[in-house]
Every structure is written in structure tokens, then in C-alpha cells.
Amino acid sequence: MLKIENLHAKVGDKEILKGVSLTIRDGEIHALMGTNGAGKSTLSNVIVGNPSYEVTAGSITFNGQDLLAMSPEERAHAGIFMSFQAPIEIPGVSMTNFMRAAVNARREAQGKEPLKSTDFLKLMREKRKLVEIDQKLMNRSVNEGFSGGERKRN
Amino acid sequence: MSESNEFVRQVAEKKYEFGFTTDVHTEIIEKGLNEDVVRLISQKKGEPEWLLQFRLDAYRYWLTQTQPSWAHVHLPEIDYQAMSYYADPTAKSKEGPKSLDEIDPELMKTFDKLGIPLEERLALSGTAVDAVMDSVSVKTTFKEKLSEKGIIFCSISEAVREYPDLVKQYLGSVVPPKDNYFAALNSAVFSDGSFVYIPKNTRCPMELSTYFRINARNTGQFERTLIVCDEGSYVSYLEGCTAPMRDENQLHAAIVEIVVMDNAEVKYSTVQNWYPGDAEGRGGVFNLVTKRGDLRGVNSKLSWTQVETGSAITWKYPSCVLRGDGSQAEFYSVAVTNNHQEADTGTKMIHLGRNTRSTIISKGISAGKSQNSYRGLVRVGKHADGARNYSSCDSLLLGSECGAHTFPYMDIHNNTATIEHEATTSKINEDQLFYCNQRGISTEEAVGLIVNGYAKEVINKLPMEFAVEAQKLLSVSLEGTVG
């Protein structure tokens, strides 16, 4: 369960979230709608811990854990995942290496052994089909030459 | 940013993995430099008269010169009388080690610890090593196996004794003793390094490598390496270096000369990891090096690849003289500076022959309070019709207290030349870091990933085992530099 209470946040000097409260129970899917500048992206960024945003009041808990006390990577290990609107490119870093680093970082946080290369490649093949990303993209650098849709699924 | 201060502190506590010292009986000659010292070194090595004269001429010229100050580094006036010019850790045995049994076990252990086993059965497959500590070559592996193909791979001291004609023919022919201040110094007092000769139409079946280790205190290391690759031959050569952690600076002034004949190819790779000094900038090695290749033959090829992560001060410009028609030269470099390190490094491509081509790919990465400069010269001579050069110099800054500089020089005397130069300077991108964080990757690991991605074009040029080492080294050198 994700529980947000009276959340205030600002970017620079500008306060954008002014007391947001929201509870999302397990299995629920919520869609936030609002005009431009309403704070949809800000709320998502604050949940994942983007350092450009400063929380001034309120709390966020995820399955009872205090999210705001956790680093972005700890939140990711806990299972918070953000699909970026325009994910950045990382030149020279292949998708395969990037994914392996991500998967193994999470496994390490869970106290598991890192995946062997062969097991990882197998896992990646399975998951790739699920999100319909072409094999060719796996040897490219992260997000380089990806279409808009492909990036968002990455 | 308080967080970045925290990271700076962590860097300060970062350990230099190769900072240990070896407790071994070392014969060190008295400190100071004069003609008697030059004669003594020559005598210790049992050198012929012509080489003593070579040294003395260089020494006398050096005396007339002053230490250069044009590089973008704060090189102090070095007190050349305060250090010793010859240290022999193998001094017990008079003739130098003949078999492994005669090498001090402490020395064997040292090189084992550095990951360079000197017993051939333990060696990295396909790599022959010349191990040099302080002023003396301790052991060269696979010498016999290589000699079956007529390949000579030994220490330069041994080469002077065994192959004096070859040495006399080529020594100083690429980097003359009067080339520059440090070249003159090296030519006067050089101690050990490697000699490689690849006979005609021979592909060297192994990687050849030299591992340089400084151990003795207050001693300068004056490496001298000479590689001659005869017509139609190929060799890949690697060089690695480390030194103990000490509060005082140590000097490593080297010369590497490479001669490439018709249709021959040499690949020279360096992973330089001298002790860089501590977080406050105390200690560390002054790495003042002249490296040059002479592409004498038609269609000859030379490729320099360097990964520079160590040294307090680096002053190094591996260069190519493209003399033969159709010769091709490459320079691939990654230079990392952290804390108070200063690097002024780059290359010179001198196009003299027709239809010569050169490529320069330089990646500088600066962190902490370091200064990282690329300095390069592309010269196209009057008769070098159809010369081409492509240069690309990128700088990556981590943090806000470091500096990156680019000093490209071009000197074109032939209007058929095609010269391209690209340069970029960027900071490590917060968005990239956050994207990695959001996918569960820690900032530390993300920096390693991004920097290795940035340097990939160069790392890919290294032989495989060394590429893996270099990747690790890059990550370690920059551990915790981004907040």
C-alpha cells in the first residue's frame, strides 16, 4: 500500500504540491489527471526521490516503510518504478549492461547472489517479449536511437 | 552541496591498492647527479664505450638546459641532487638472476601481489612479461620460446650486452638525447626497460609486456624502452606501472622509442597507475615521459592506447612521425585525474609521407580538485600530399572544483591535407545519475557505468584482459566523486 499524506513539495522557490493526500491499495490502478502544471509529474518525481524536488511537509509510506527517508535506489529496490516521459541517453553503456547492473543491484539489496550471465540473458529474452522491445536495441547504448515509445517502455 | 562534500571525504579515504612496499635488500648508489654517477651507472651495467659517451653527451647537454614550464601543471623545481639514480633490488647475485631460484622470494611475492606472476606456468596465457623494479629488470618470461621465432624480448641492459649492434643502430634514433630536458636526463642516467626486436615477416605470437614498479625511497626511475618491428611484422606491447604510497614525490622520467618498418604494425598499450598522491596532494609520482614512434616504412602502422589514472603529475605525449608513404597512426587516450592530480597529456602527429593518416581520440575525466589538459599537435609537412587527420577531444567534469583544458595545435604546410577537429566538454549529467538510481543502481556504480561508457571507444582498443582491468581501475579511481 502506498500512502501519501499532506504532501508539500517545491522546485527551487516554487511550491507545487500543496497538501496532497492519496492512498493506493495493493492491486489498484490509479490515473492522475489534471491541467498542465497541476503537479502530476512533480508528484511522481517526489515519490521516486528525484533530488531536484524538495519535500517541505507531509509523508509518504510504502508498505509501512517511510519512503522519504530512503534514497532513490532504495525506493527502486522496494519496488517503486517510474516510467520516464523522456528517459535520458547514456552513451557507450549497452542496454544489456545497464539492465544487468539494475537487476543485480536489486538482487543485492534483497540479499541474493548476482545473476550469472547466461541466466540474465535468458531472463532478458523473456521480459523483452513482454514489453515488445526488439533484440537489436539490446546491443545499443541506453536509449540511444530508441523511438519515443521504446524509451518509455525502457 | 553537503552531499558532495561527503563524497569528497570518502574519496580522501579511498585506498590505493598497490601502495605497499617490498622489504628487500636494495643496493642504492649515493644521492646526487654528476659525471661520476653517469659513469658509475654505465660501469654497473658493463656498457661499451660508445654508450658511456652517449650518456655523457646527454648529461652535458642537460646541464645547459632548464626545466620546461610550459605545461599546464605545477611541477616544482625538482632537486636533482636530492635523489638517487640507481637502485638495484637484485643486488645480492652478482651477475643478475639466471634462474628463478636466484630471485629473492620477496621480489617474486611482490610481483605476485601485483598480479604479475613471474613463473611461466602461472602467467597470463599468451603474455610474456619483463618485470622491472627500480633500476633493474628482475625477470623476463618466455624469452626462450620467443627466440625460437627470432624475436628478441629482454631488458635493455641485456640487449646492450647481447645485441650491441642493434641497440647502437636504433637507440636515440627516434628520440634524440637533445630532444627535450627530460629526454636528455633520461639519456644520461637511464637504467632499465625493455628491448623488443621482431624480425621480418613475423607475427609475434604473444602479447609482450613490461611491468614497472618503483620501490626504493628517494630514487628516480629512468625507464628506457626500444621496440623495433621489422618489415611485414606485427607486435602488441603492453606496459603497466605502480608505486608505493609515500609522502615525498618520486620521479619517473622515461623514454620509449618505436621503429616501424615497411608494412609492419605495432600496438602499444599503457595502463598507468603510479601512486597519485593522497587527498591533500602530498606525495605521488611525477611521470615525465617522452614516447615516440617512427613510422619509417611504407604502409606502416602504429597505435598508442593509454589509460592514465595514476601519478601526481603526468607530462606525456606519445607521438608518431608518419614518415613512410601510406603510414597510419592512432592515439587513443583516457586520462583520469582526481584529488590534486594534474595531467598534461596528448600526442603529436607529424605527417611527412604521402597519403598518411592519423586519428586522435582523447577522453579526459577530471574530478576532485584536479586539472586535466589535452595538448596535441598535428603537423603536415610540405611534401605530405593527401594527409588526413581526425581529432576528437572530449572532457568530462565531475564536480565543480576541477578543470579541463584543451590545447590543440595545428601546423599545416600542404593544402591537400584534410584535418578535422572536434571537442566537447560536459559535466556528468544529474539526469543520467537519477535515471540509474531510479532503476536501482547506486550513484557510485552509476558513475562507474557512465564513465566506462564514456571511455569505451578507448577501452575497446586494449587487449581483453587489460580492458577488464582498465574498467575496474576507472571505477575505483573515481569512487565517490559525484554527489
Side-chain angles (χ1 to χ4, degrees):
Chain A
M1 187 170 77
L2 182 74
K3 195 165 182 182
I4 302 170
E5 279 181 295
N6 188 34
L7 187 68
H8 290 252
K10 60 180 188 180
V11 182
D13 291 333
K14 195 168 181 220
E15 185 166 55
I16 295 177
L17 301 183
K18 300 164 184 167
V20 178
S21 295
L22 172 69
T23 302
I24 302 178
R25 277 173 285 272
D26 288 5
E28 289 181 357
I29 296 174
H30 287 237
L32 288 181
M33 291 167 71
T35 52
N36 289 341
K40 306 178 294 288
S41 304
T42 300
L43 180 61
S44 321
N45 275 298
V46 168
I47 293 171
V48 294
N50 188 329
S52 312
Y53 298 81
E54 191 190 339
V55 175
T56 49
S59 69
I60 310 176
T61 59
F62 182 56
N63 295 332
Q65 284 177 285
D66 177 8
L67 265 198
L68 295 180
M70 293 156 72
S71 66
E73 58 269 28
E74 287 166 341
R75 299 181 202 199
H77 299 152
I80 306 271
F81 182 94
M82 177 154 110
S83 179
F84 285 72
Q85 263 166 339
I88 189 142
E89 296 174 0
I90 309 181
V93 179
S94 74
M95 271 316 298
T96 307
N97 274 341
F98 179 73
M99 302 276 266
R100 183 163 50 205
V103 168
N104 285 335
R106 186 151 184 227
R107 289 180 68 90
E108 196 187 327
Q110 293 164 343
K112 293 186 198 160
E113 291 283 301
L115 276 184
K116 277 190 292 209
S117 294
T118 47
D119 293 341
F120 171 75
L121 290 174
K122 213 173 118 201
L123 178 74
M124 199 169 71
R125 255 200 311 276
E126 288 165 17
K127 300 293 181 193
R128 190 168 54 72
K129 286 196 190 116
L130 197 69
V131 291
E132 295 175 1
I133 280 192
D134 197 90
Q135 171 65 33
K136 278 183 291 195
L137 297 186
M138 292 299 116
N139 296 326
R140 282 199 205 152
S141 296
V142 175
N143 292 326
E144 251 182 16
F146 284 44
S147 73
E150 283 164 343
R151 282 174 181 231
K152 280 181 196 160
R153 276 174 277 157
N154 193 15
Chain B
M1 274 176 11
S2 66
E3 208 180 339
S4 72
N5 288 338
E6 170 63 11
F7 275 116
V8 168
R9 194 184 58 76
Q10 285 178 9
V11 176
E13 287 165 9
K14 180 200 104 192
K15 291 260 161 34
Y16 176 72
E17 207 183 328
F18 307 102
F20 61 90
T21 54
T22 306
D23 186 16
V24 62
H25 169 79
T26 303
E27 188 189 297
I28 302 177
I29 64 170
E30 259 183 66
K31 284 181 191 171
L33 181 56
N34 52 49
E35 283 204 9
D36 289 343
V37 168
V38 175
R39 286 176 199 279
L40 182 61
I41 293 170
S42 187
Q43 183 201 329
K44 279 192 174 293
K45 296 196 171 286
E47 286 173 355
E49 182 59 30
W50 67 265
L51 193 48
L52 173 63
Q53 208 49 52
F54 176 94
R55 288 176 180 277
L56 288 172
D57 290 346
Y59 175 70
R60 286 165 194 155
Y61 175 76
W62 179 76
L63 283 179
T64 66
Q65 301 295 302
T66 48
Q67 194 175 302
S69 59
W70 45 261
H72 191 72
V73 295
H74 297 90
L75 185 65
E77 276 292 323
I78 297 170
D79 183 355
Y80 293 95
Q81 301 305 331
M83 69 178 111
S84 168
Y85 288 79
Y86 192 83
D88 181 359
T90 63
K92 258 180 256 170
S93 44
K94 276 233 169 62
E95 297 273 287
K98 280 273 157 51
S99 78
L100 277 184
D101 300 335
E102 285 180 48
I103 298 180
D104 190 317
E106 281 300 317
L107 290 179
M108 296 292 284
K109 259 195 262 170
T110 299
F111 283 99
D112 272 352
K113 221 165 147 181
L114 295 168
I116 315 289
L118 298 183
E119 286 176 69
E120 291 185 1
R121 62 186 174 85
L122 298 175
L124 277 176
S125 61
T127 305
V129 181
D130 181 17
V132 177
M133 192 192 274
D134 297 328
S135 312
V136 174
S137 165
V138 175
K139 157 99 184 158
T140 309
T141 61
F142 296 108
K143 227 165 25 180
E144 289 73 22
K145 194 179 164 199
L146 289 165
S147 73
E148 286 167 16
K149 290 204 155 208
I151 295 168
I152 303 170
F153 178 45
C154 62
S155 73
I156 194 99
S157 308
E158 188 181 332
V160 169
R161 290 193 301 270
E162 306 287 326
Y163 315 99
D165 295 343
L166 274 176
V167 176
K168 192 173 179 182
Q169 187 180 350
Y170 293 106
L171 190 79
S173 72
V174 184
V175 180
K178 295 182 182 177
D179 190 77
N180 66 69
Y181 185 77
F182 297 112
L185 177 64
N186 176 288
S187 300
V189 298
F190 71 86
S191 36
D192 233 334
S194 302
F195 176 73
V196 175
Y197 176 76
I198 313 289
K200 283 182 188 171
N201 302 315
T202 307
R203 197 179 165 85
C204 184
M206 321 178 84
E207 305 273 353
L208 303 185
S209 77
T210 306
Y211 196 91
F212 291 95
R213 174 78 178 164
I214 296 179
N215 185 56
R217 192 177 279 274
N218 298 325
T219 307
Q221 190 179 52
F222 302 92
E223 160 204 357
R224 184 95 194 192
T225 289
L226 175 59
I227 298 173
V228 180
C229 193
D230 218 327
E231 286 169 31
S233 295
Y234 169 85
V235 65
S236 169
Y237 178 91
L238 311 149
E239 170 196 51
C241 14
T242 58
M245 294 161 78
R246 298 199 196 284
D247 286 343
E248 65 268 22
N249 295 111
Q250 284 193 285
L251 179 62
H252 173 89
I255 290 182
V256 174
E257 296 179 280
I258 301 178
V259 179
V260 197
M261 302 302 203
D262 288 357
N263 302 305
E265 180 176 0
V266 175
K267 281 184 69 150
Y268 189 105
S269 315
T270 305
V271 176
Q272 186 263 108
N273 188 23
W274 294 118
Y275 176 53
D278 69 9
E280 271 76 53
R282 275 187 304 255
V285 171
F286 294 156
N287 189 34
L288 312 168
V289 176
T290 306
K291 292 186 172 182
R292 192 173 304 152
D294 189 354
L295 291 90
R296 271 177 214 181
V298 294
N299 301 321
S300 52
K301 287 185 191 168
L302 172 59
S303 175
W304 295 102
T305 305
Q306 59 173 21
V307 175
E308 302 278 316
T309 61
S311 300
I313 290 179
T314 298
W315 182 98
K316 176 181 172 189
Y317 316 91
S319 305
C320 301
V321 181
L322 296 103
R323 203 181 297 277
D325 290 346
S327 54
Q328 293 177 31
E330 293 176 341
F331 174 75
Y332 285 82
S333 169
V334 177
V336 181
T337 52
N338 197 356
N339 295 322
H340 290 265
Q341 279 176 277
E342 295 180 320
D344 193 306
T345 183
T347 184
K348 287 189 273 187
M349 294 292 179
I350 314 291
H351 293 257
L352 299 177
R354 290 184 180 81
N355 300 315
T356 47
R357 274 192 291 167
S358 63
T359 305
I360 300 172
I361 307 286
S362 164
K363 308 263 181 187
I365 301 163
S366 16
K369 294 180 178 167
S370 67
Q371 296 294 328
N372 199 327
S373 307
Y374 167 81
R375 187 183 302 275
L377 168 70
V378 176
R379 174 175 293 157
V380 176
K382 258 200 314 234
H383 306 293
D385 293 341
R388 296 181 72 104
N389 165 266
Y390 171 76
S391 305
S392 159
C393 308
D394 298 329
S395 310
L396 186 67
L397 296 161
L398 284 78
S400 51
E401 292 176 88
C402 52
H405 316 270
T406 306
F407 304 99
Y409 303 86
M410 287 176 199
D411 184 12
I412 315 297
H413 298 278
N414 183 311
N415 56 19
T416 63
T418 310
I419 309 292
E420 292 173 74
H421 181 91
E422 290 175 19
T424 65
T425 302
S426 50
K427 288 192 93 167
I428 205 157
N429 192 312
E430 297 288 328
D431 292 340
Q432 289 175 335
L433 288 177
F434 177 65
Y435 183 62
C436 292
N437 287 159
Q438 213 298 306
R439 294 294 180 261
I441 302 166
S442 68
T443 301
E444 196 95 306
E445 209 185 330
V447 171
L449 209 60
I450 293 168
V451 165
N452 271 306
Y454 169 80
K456 193 176 179 182
E457 213 181 336
V458 176
I459 304 275
N460 279 350
K461 285 274 163 183
L462 290 172
M464 207 174 49
E465 296 90 345
F466 288 78
V468 174
E469 279 305 302
Q471 278 179 357
K472 278 193 229 152
L473 199 56
L474 279 187
S475 301
V476 170
S477 302
L478 291 167
E479 238 163 47
T481 44
V482 169

